[in-house]
Amino acid sequence: MQLEKKYCASPWRGLHLNFEGQVQTCCAAHPAVLGKNHKGSIESVLQSDAIKEVRASIKQGILHEKYCNGCIKRENAGFASERDWHNNISPDFDCKTADIDEHKPALIDVRWNNTCNLACTYCTSYFSTKWASIVNKKVNKTINTDYQKIIDYIAKHQGSVREVALVGGEPLMMKENDKLLDILPDDVLVTVITNMTNDFDKMPVPKKLLARPRVGWSMSFDNIGDRFNYVRWGSSWEQLDKNVSTVSDRIHNSQQHGGIQAVYTIYNCTRLCELKQYAVDRNLNITWQHVWGDQLDPTQHNQTIRNLAIKEIQKFRNTFDVLDAEATWLNNTEEQLKLGNGNKSKEFLKFTDDVENLWHPDQKGQFAKLWPELVEVL
């Protein structure tokens, strides 16, 4: 049987820079292939033998086994991958005829540092300075010393740039993004993944984003009310709700677009419908992602919990008009829940104990109060 050929624009049209100094062409790429903590020029990585090997493979319609492993895994499980993002941004690009030395960034993803105001239960000190302060790791990752080099590179390639993604940490807090927005032409789409919990009235980045003609908002939250406050520790549901209303009004009265980006975990597997109803009431769509393999993954829990999650998916279908992309995600997730054979209950109970006694003691007893249906069967 002939294998399906798969192509990706990322090695020719993507640029991903994270706060450890890694230069890649995609945020899902394996970091070891092009080298971690790179100190040379951006160009030296994008013209290296390693990336040329990746390009040569993809020119043949074969995703690179190591570099593209993240997308390969997601697609094999039936889910969308970062490959779709890159190809959608560069629909006119043809990998088969592209020069192996060519690189003109259409999508730029810059993650300046891990500054964040929250310590979400499923996050770590690597991605959040708030978490780092709680666990006394004193982790403050940043590429500030390379700021001008990066700005110069982006300015040099303005003609090919179609989208700039602001990711974090929490990108609305970063002064680097304040400066970056000043050099981006109005026709560049700016997409942002944000926890939406800072006071927009007191910060320059959200003000500049709301004023731009083309912005895509990925509003990252997965529960509502007190359950939101529990999972997204350090946040305020009232502040988020106010900000969501502000962005929703802007989206529906301009060329801006966006919606909720939710992570599917044990914290919402029995509460999908209440989040969906919140989205419907504000005329927003939800893009679903899946946490994989650990104690927060519903597919790794016992049959009773998986059955509760399946029941919620079925209720979701019966209650709402389901979009095509949403239907695909629901179908694939239900299939994974049916196949699941793990039992992470002990790990999750230990995790919850640590959350409520070591890290967020103000939440002690809250999980049992807020998720009684899970406590009963864990």
Side-chain angles (χ1 to χ4, degrees):
M1 182 179 67
Q2 187 175 6
L3 294 176
E4 175 190 2
K5 289 186 178 293
K6 294 185 176 182
Y7 298 95
C8 180
S10 159
W12 291 269
R13 292 292 183 264
L15 175 62
H16 167 74
L17 304 166
N18 85 349
F19 44 70
E20 283 194 325
Q22 293 166 9
V23 178
Q24 300 176 177
T25 64
C26 174
C27 64
H30 195 294
V33 174
L34 302 187
K36 296 184 71 173
N37 304 311
H38 189 81
K39 299 301 181 184
S41 67
I42 296 173
E43 289 87 349
S44 67
V45 179
L46 299 176
Q47 297 302 327
S48 66
D49 291 340
I51 193 61
K52 290 178 183 179
E53 177 187 315
V54 174
R55 291 173 186 150
S57 178
I58 292 178
K59 281 175 67 68
Q60 303 303 313
I62 302 170
L63 299 182
H64 191 273
E65 183 178 7
K66 186 172 184 180
Y67 190 69
C68 306
N69 186 251
C71 287
I72 292 171
K73 282 184 175 181
R74 287 188 62 81
E75 292 178 15
N76 285 346
F79 295 95
S81 71
E82 300 297 321
R83 188 168 70 95
D84 299 321
W85 186 20
H86 287 272
N87 289 343
N88 289 337
I89 289 172
S90 300
D92 54 344
F93 179 71
D94 186 352
C95 302
K96 298 186 291 296
T97 60
D99 190 281
I100 203 165
D101 296 319
E102 179 185 346
H103 188 268
K104 295 179 180 178
L107 170 60
I108 296 178
D109 173 356
V110 184
R111 309 185 182 197
W112 301 106
N113 53 62
N114 63 342
T115 299
C116 187
N117 58 315
L118 304 186
C120 303
T121 53
Y122 52 66
C123 195
T124 68
S125 59
Y126 178 80
F127 294 105
S128 166
T129 49
K130 174 63 77 173
W131 256 123
S133 67
I134 290 172
V135 298
N136 292 318
K137 284 199 172 181
K138 306 299 181 184
V139 178
N140 187 11
K141 300 284 188 180
T142 182
I143 53 173
N144 284 348
T145 55
D146 295 325
Y147 175 77
Q148 194 58 50
K149 178 174 69 175
I150 294 166
I151 288 296
D152 290 345
Y153 187 87
I154 294 172
K156 177 181 177 181
H157 294 280
Q158 277 188 359
S160 65
V161 175
R162 298 178 181 178
E163 179 175 337
V164 173
L166 308 183
V167 193
E170 173 45 49
L172 300 191
M173 297 176 65
M174 297 178 188
K175 62 181 183 299
E176 295 85 0
N177 285 330
D178 183 19
K179 299 175 184 177
L180 175 61
L181 290 172
D182 288 340
I183 72 163
L184 295 178
D186 284 346
D187 62 348
V188 171
L189 171 63
V190 178
T191 53
V192 55
I193 301 177
T194 167
N195 64 42
M196 295 289 290
T197 60
N198 287 284
D199 189 339
F200 281 18
D201 295 331
K202 297 180 179 179
M203 307 188 75
V205 174
K207 290 179 182 178
K208 288 184 178 181
L209 288 171
L210 289 167
R212 289 184 67 88
R214 301 188 67 222
V215 176
W217 295 85
S218 290
M219 296 175 274
S220 180
F221 61 100
D222 351 86
N223 291 274
I224 67 171
D226 288 341
R227 278 178 283 277
F228 168 81
N229 289 335
Y230 182 95
V231 175
R232 299 297 181 116
W233 188 87
S235 58
S236 161
W237 171 252
E238 289 74 19
Q239 182 67 62
L240 176 130
D241 188 39
K242 176 184 176 182
N243 292 341
V244 169
S245 295
T246 298
V247 171
S248 179
D249 289 344
R250 183 73 172 99
I251 287 171
H252 297 122
N253 292 287
S254 71
Q255 296 180 45
Q256 296 195 4
H257 66 275
I260 299 168
Q261 184 161 318
V263 180
Y264 182 69
T265 71
I266 194 170
Y267 292 119
N268 60 15
C269 69
T270 59
R271 304 284 178 160
L272 297 182
C273 291
E274 66 180 21
L275 180 64
K276 178 65 175 180
Q277 188 62 59
Y278 178 84
V280 169
D281 291 345
R282 285 148 188 80
N283 198 22
L284 296 170
N285 294 328
I286 303 177
T287 300
W288 300 93
Q289 294 179 300
H290 197 120
V291 64
W292 291 101
D294 65 14
Q295 71 277 357
L296 298 180
D297 181 353
T299 70
Q300 298 298 304
H301 280 268
N302 62 50
Q303 185 69 58
T304 305
I305 288 177
R306 299 203 308 276
N307 286 342
L308 287 174
I310 291 170
K311 183 179 179 181
E312 185 72 4
I313 286 175
Q314 293 168 346
K315 178 183 176 183
F316 189 106
R317 290 197 192 98
N318 294 332
T319 305
F320 302 102
D321 293 328
V322 179
L323 302 174
D324 289 345
E326 207 165 38
T328 299
W329 179 83
L330 289 167
N331 293 339
N332 289 336
T333 300
E334 184 174 8
E335 186 62 28
Q336 294 295 319
L337 287 165
K338 290 177 179 177
L339 293 172
N341 58 4
N343 191 348
K344 298 285 188 179
S345 295
K346 288 184 179 179
E347 290 93 328
F348 181 70
L349 289 171
K350 172 63 167 60
F351 178 80
T352 302
D353 186 66
D354 287 342
V355 168
E356 297 188 1
N357 290 287
L358 296 179
W359 304 324
H360 307 329
D362 62 314
Q363 295 296 305
K364 189 172 179 62
Q366 282 295 96
F367 180 80
K369 177 183 177 181
L370 297 172
W371 287 273
E373 72 280 8
L374 293 178
V375 172
E376 185 177 346
V377 297
L378 274 168

